[in-house]
Amino acid sequence: MQIPKPFLYPLAYRRALLYSKANLFAKFPLPEQIQIQAVQKRTARLGKIDPTSYAEPELITTLHSVLNWKVDFEKKCLRGSVMHHFKAFQKNITAILLDVRNVKILKAELVGEKANIPLKFGISDPAGDMGAKLTLELPEDTGENTGDLYVNIDYETSSNATALQWLGPEQTLGKKHPYMFSQCWAIHARSILPCQDTPAVKFTYRATVEHPEELTALMSATVLKRENSRTTFVQDVPIPAYLLAIAVGKLVSKPLGRQSKVWAEEDIIDECAEEFSDTLDILKVATDISGHFVWKHCDLLVMPPSFPFDGMENPCLIFVTPTLLAGDKSFANVIAHEIAHSWAGNLVTNKNFEHFWLNEGFATFLESKIIGRMRGNKERDFLMSRNLSELKECIETQLADRPELTKLVVDLSNCTPDEAYSSVPYIKGSIFLRYMEDLLGGSEIFERFLRQYWQRNAYNSVASDDFKQALCEYFSKTNRKQKLSLINWDLWLNGQGMPPIIPRLDQSLASVSKRLALFWATKAIVELKNSPQLKEQLSIHQLIDMLSRLAENKEMKGLNDQKIELLETTYNLKETKNVELRFHLTRLYIMAKSMGRLDEIFNFLNSNFRLKYIRPLYRDLVNWPAAKPKAIENFKRVKGQMMAICSHAIEKDLGFK
């Protein structure tokens, strides 16, 4: 195999070379010489920079990867090769360490101008759910100087690769063709290719995917060429491994505008195009706030119901859950959130997932600003108020026995990012940013800082101290510099529980849903039926907020089937397509211990496997003794349809070992 020529990715080559060496080498001074053993003992923290990765980006980093994959639906695996272009920062490196998880390595070679040199390799015992270390031993005469190395690895994935979901035809809408998609966040890319699976490393890629001719392949990249059963992609902006994404299925598209289209199965494509028709309007507002959009296009792919998240910010191809298809565009904030990641996370990335709030807190903060621009600041503050209610429940329930995970900066020495996942980095992080925005001069001033922050750290990976330094440096030159001393960084970043300071938020919209939630919670059904408050008009978001408050109220008066029936009738909830409304109603069914609603409960649980919904419902069912055995039985029946991150979380909630 020939060394790839730089003309295939000239812009990316310059960017990656500049940022990888200048930033990583400067921040992590290297010892004179480091000897790397073929197999190291397991330690709590796998690497210096990233506790969940064996990679050593302080010694060597990936600049570009060339993928050749064949998608095998019969064996449920990807077969092929990856050629990594590495940049070494130190002389005489003896080995390259990569992350793998259940990947079968067939051959590894050092690619040369004249001939390839076979490399010895070894795979360590796996470190639990974090996979294993692949050690590629380099020849002694690899080079006296720092420089470029090209390594080609032939391999195939396992049928149970945690990043891949394989669906049979019967699990799709069309019922005729199989479907496959990936979810590499946070550390699952190592299950589909041997790589430096850490956000401290960002690389460009080119991929050629061989797939069934009747199916369409998509990736987090731009299509370079489609020809029958082979599609070639290129991503010339450096990304971390968790943003590598692929989907193959019977997919069609509809344009949303010059820079965007939506992809889905044919049966729902018209519905998707209507639901997400405001995508480019959202992108324009996001660009006005954050600055230049570096990605070539902003397509959406509406996923199958087994997709576990609201959305995934894969560059050029945002994955979104089909539960957003409410028919009223009421989930535009989710699209705003994923678009916000174009800057927060994709352009400027957390160095490791202990600093995850730098991705998600910033994206949630930008999401609220986008909604504020489009719908007004009252709606922005209402969204943040609702988020605070969600955060409070998360801390009191999901993380009740793990208070250390309520910090903004967490310790992942003995915990995977999947285990630590919660709404804390999203909401607590966004509240911290809103607090600083209000303290330091308001939206216009803070947005100027943000645009400079994105620009100066573009294509780079940062930690919380980097953000702190950037903010203090910027505002120390303004008339708000005295306010910097009021920010208690240690308390915000390392304190447990709710945010230490809650910004002053407009409560005019929230007060309505709070009042009505209290009304429904405290009044008997006779009083409710005769009250004029039943005729009060609510927006869809106020209705969602009211129901969520009811579902979180453990002391509701007289909750029974009759009261729930009145709720459904009053607000036309029986036929609603809005999944948020259905979720909160389902929680009320469980609170009322309504045995007659069990079929409805399990129908909702099995209609989608979005973590936001099914984890709270399974936790609720565990606390209902009569329903718990049925919940366990239901889970075991549908577990095979879930992605690993989802099934593992539910097993934990159900108390499985």
Side-chain angles (χ1 to χ4, degrees):
M1 184 178 293
Q2 295 297 310
I3 296 176
K5 303 301 181 186
F7 70 77
L8 291 177
Y9 46 97
L11 177 60
Y13 183 90
R14 294 195 298 273
R15 283 175 177 162
L17 185 62
L18 171 64
Y19 286 99
S20 61
K21 184 169 183 178
N23 291 293
L24 283 173
F25 190 76
K27 292 180 182 179
F28 297 93
L30 305 178
E32 187 72 19
Q33 185 175 11
I34 294 179
Q35 296 294 327
I36 304 173
Q37 302 301 317
V39 178
Q40 296 176 328
K41 292 181 180 179
R42 259 183 261 174
T43 58
R45 297 181 73 83
L46 302 185
K48 277 186 180 181
I49 295 175
D50 189 334
T52 61
S53 171
Y54 287 107
E56 299 176 313
E58 70 273 20
L59 301 180
I60 189 168
T61 193
T62 310
L63 294 184
H64 184 75
S65 297
V66 178
L67 289 158
N68 285 281
W69 279 340
K70 180 176 181 179
V71 180
D72 190 331
F73 278 99
E74 184 177 345
K75 294 185 177 180
K76 297 182 179 179
C77 74
L78 298 176
R79 294 200 311 273
S81 66
V82 60
M83 182 165 65
H84 291 306
H85 172 191
F86 295 108
K87 176 69 176 178
F89 298 141
Q90 180 176 312
K91 297 178 182 179
N92 298 320
I93 291 178
T94 60
I96 299 172
L97 305 185
L98 301 178
D99 298 298
V100 291
R101 184 172 184 180
N102 296 330
V103 171
K104 183 179 180 181
I105 306 299
L106 305 175
K107 182 174 65 175
E109 295 179 314
L110 185 66
V111 179
E113 288 283 3
K114 296 181 179 179
N116 295 349
I117 303 171
L119 298 178
K120 293 181 181 179
F121 60 86
I123 298 179
S124 71
D125 291 334
D129 289 338
M130 289 189 281
K133 172 177 58 180
L134 170 62
T135 302
L136 303 173
E137 298 183 34
L138 296 174
E140 292 183 6
D141 59 349
T142 296
E144 287 293 321
N145 301 314
T146 60
D148 300 313
L149 294 171
Y150 297 85
V151 173
N152 189 75
I153 304 169
D154 293 347
Y155 72 97
E156 63 182 50
T157 65
S158 165
S159 60
N160 62 357
T162 54
L164 299 178
Q165 180 81 351
W166 301 87
L167 303 178
E170 71 283 357
Q171 294 174 285
T172 67
L173 286 173
K175 309 297 183 187
K176 294 181 181 179
H177 302 280
Y179 195 124
M180 180 272 285
F181 65 89
S182 67
Q183 177 57 36
C184 287
W185 186 93
I187 55 171
H188 296 281
R190 62 194 66 182
S191 72
I192 62 171
L193 81 162
C195 63
Q196 293 183 299
D197 194 7
T198 168
V201 171
K202 302 175 83 168
F203 58 95
T204 56
Y205 75 85
R206 181 185 176 107
T208 300
V209 179
E210 186 179 339
H211 52 84
E213 187 173 351
E214 66 275 16
L215 303 184
T216 297
L218 301 171
M219 290 192 75
S220 53
T222 299
V223 173
L224 207 57
K225 182 166 55 175
R226 291 195 189 276
E227 45 185 4
N228 298 326
S229 61
R230 189 183 301 269
T231 309
T232 302
F233 303 88
V234 63
Q235 178 53 267
D236 66 358
V237 179
I239 63 168
Y242 75 82
L243 290 178
L244 185 67
I246 183 171
V248 180
K250 190 65 173 175
L251 300 167
V252 295
S253 69
K254 275 207 162 187
L256 299 176
R258 183 181 60 83
Q259 208 174 359
S260 181
K261 62 180 71 167
V262 61
W263 294 86
E265 291 189 69
E266 189 169 13
D267 289 354
I268 59 169
I269 190 63
D270 290 337
E271 184 181 359
C272 295
E274 176 60 28
E275 192 77 33
F276 304 122
S277 61
D278 295 338
T279 297
L280 284 184
D281 293 336
I282 296 170
L283 178 60
K284 183 182 184 307
V285 173
T287 304
D288 290 343
I289 294 170
S290 297
H292 178 58
F293 180 76
V294 303
W295 315 94
K296 285 187 172 67
H297 51 93
C298 182
D299 289 0
L300 308 180
L301 172 60
V302 181
M303 307 299 289
S306 54
F307 184 65
F309 297 116
D310 300 12
M312 181 62 207
E313 63 270 19
N314 302 312
C316 303
L317 186 70
I318 294 171
F319 287 8
V320 295
T321 169
T323 61
L324 300 186
L325 298 173
D328 56 12
K329 303 183 183 181
S330 56
F331 294 118
N333 63 298
V334 176
I335 304 303
H337 182 94
E338 303 310 329
I339 287 176
H341 274 301
S342 302
W343 296 268
N346 296 9
L347 185 64
V348 181
T349 309
N350 51 222
K351 192 178 291 293
N352 64 48
F353 290 107
E354 294 182 321
H355 302 276
F356 187 41
W357 80 277
L358 293 175
N359 282 16
E360 295 299 351
F362 274 72
T364 305
F365 177 68
L366 284 176
E367 169 197 341
S368 72
K369 292 180 76 66
I370 293 167
I371 295 301
R373 289 278 187 98
M374 297 183 75
R375 298 179 183 166
N377 284 327
K378 286 186 178 181
E379 288 284 355
R380 180 194 184 191
D381 283 5
F382 183 40
L383 174 61
M384 298 194 86
S385 294
R386 290 164 55 207
N387 285 346
L388 279 166
S389 298
E390 181 182 332
L391 176 63
K392 185 174 184 289
E393 187 187 19
C394 170
I395 290 173
E396 292 177 352
T397 56
Q398 179 186 341
L399 300 179
D401 59 346
R402 299 294 301 274
E404 71 279 7
L405 296 182
T406 65
K407 300 177 180 180
L408 274 186
V409 178
V410 296
D411 183 355
L412 295 181
S413 297
N414 298 292
C415 181
T416 69
D418 288 350
E419 293 173 292
Y421 182 77
S422 75
S423 62
V424 169
Y426 293 73
I427 300 171
K428 193 172 181 179
S430 69
I431 293 296
F432 184 27
L433 290 165
R434 173 63 182 268
Y435 160 72
M436 287 188 284
E437 177 179 83
D438 292 348
L439 180 71
L440 297 172
S443 290
E444 186 176 340
I445 291 172
F446 204 73
E447 286 171 19
R448 285 203 294 267
F449 158 68
L450 282 179
R451 285 190 288 272
Q452 185 190 92
Y453 174 74
W454 304 136
Q455 184 179 11
R456 290 192 175 183
N457 292 283
Y459 319 110
N460 195 14
S461 301
V462 297
S464 297
D465 280 347
D466 298 313
F467 169 68
K468 176 183 176 182
Q469 181 180 341
L471 181 130
C472 291
E473 181 182 309
Y474 182 90
F475 283 100
S476 65
K477 299 172 184 175
T478 72
N479 60 4
R480 311 294 291 184
K481 61 183 178 182
Q482 295 88 352
K483 298 291 186 180
L484 292 171
S485 62
L486 300 178
I487 303 173
N488 188 333
W489 289 90
D490 182 63
L491 183 60
W492 276 98
L493 297 179
N494 303 309
Q496 297 180 2
M498 290 291 285
I501 299 173
I502 305 297
R504 186 175 297 174
L505 302 174
D506 184 291
Q507 294 294 321
S508 56
L509 296 177
S511 63
V512 176
S513 46
K514 285 180 184 177
R515 174 172 48 78
L516 282 173
L518 183 64
F519 169 71
W520 279 93
T522 57
K523 300 297 182 182
I525 194 162
V526 175
E527 297 174 277
L528 289 169
K529 284 183 176 179
N530 298 318
S531 173
Q533 292 192 55
L534 266 62
K535 297 180 180 180
E536 191 166 352
Q537 294 297 309
L538 296 175
S539 71
I540 187 68
H541 296 294
Q542 286 174 313
L543 183 55
I544 289 169
D545 187 51
M546 186 195 79
L547 286 181
S548 72
R549 291 178 185 278
L550 287 176
E552 292 161 16
N553 189 331
K554 307 304 180 188
E555 300 177 359
M556 193 186 305
K557 181 178 180 180
L559 182 64
N560 54 29
D561 284 343
Q562 289 74 31
K563 199 169 194 177
I564 294 173
E565 183 80 21
L566 183 60
L567 257 177
E568 292 175 320
T569 303
T570 301
Y571 300 109
N572 298 316
L573 299 176
K574 289 188 176 182
E575 303 300 325
T576 182
K577 292 175 60 178
N578 189 295
V579 72
E580 282 279 332
L581 295 174
R582 290 176 58 212
F583 164 64
H584 295 304
L585 274 174
T586 305
R587 295 198 75 184
L588 290 173
Y589 299 161
I590 298 172
M591 283 178 65
K593 294 182 169 50
S594 178
M595 294 298 292
R597 302 267 196 170
L598 274 180
D599 285 345
E600 290 179 70
I601 292 168
F602 291 126
N603 284 341
F604 180 78
L605 268 176
N606 300 338
S607 68
N608 75 90
F609 299 119
R610 187 172 165 186
L611 279 166
K612 177 181 179 180
Y613 300 138
I614 66 171
R615 285 201 74 179
L617 291 176
Y618 273 110
R619 285 197 298 267
D620 290 348
L621 287 167
V622 164
N623 294 320
W624 180 7
K628 181 177 178 180
K630 296 180 182 294
I632 293 173
E633 179 186 338
N634 181 77
F635 169 72
K636 289 179 176 178
R637 187 169 60 251
V638 300
K639 175 184 173 182
Q641 300 173 37
M642 299 179 179
M643 292 204 78
I645 187 175
C646 184
S647 60
H648 291 170
I650 303 304
E651 285 174 346
K652 177 184 174 185
D653 295 334
L654 292 175
F656 291 8
K657 292 184 179 179

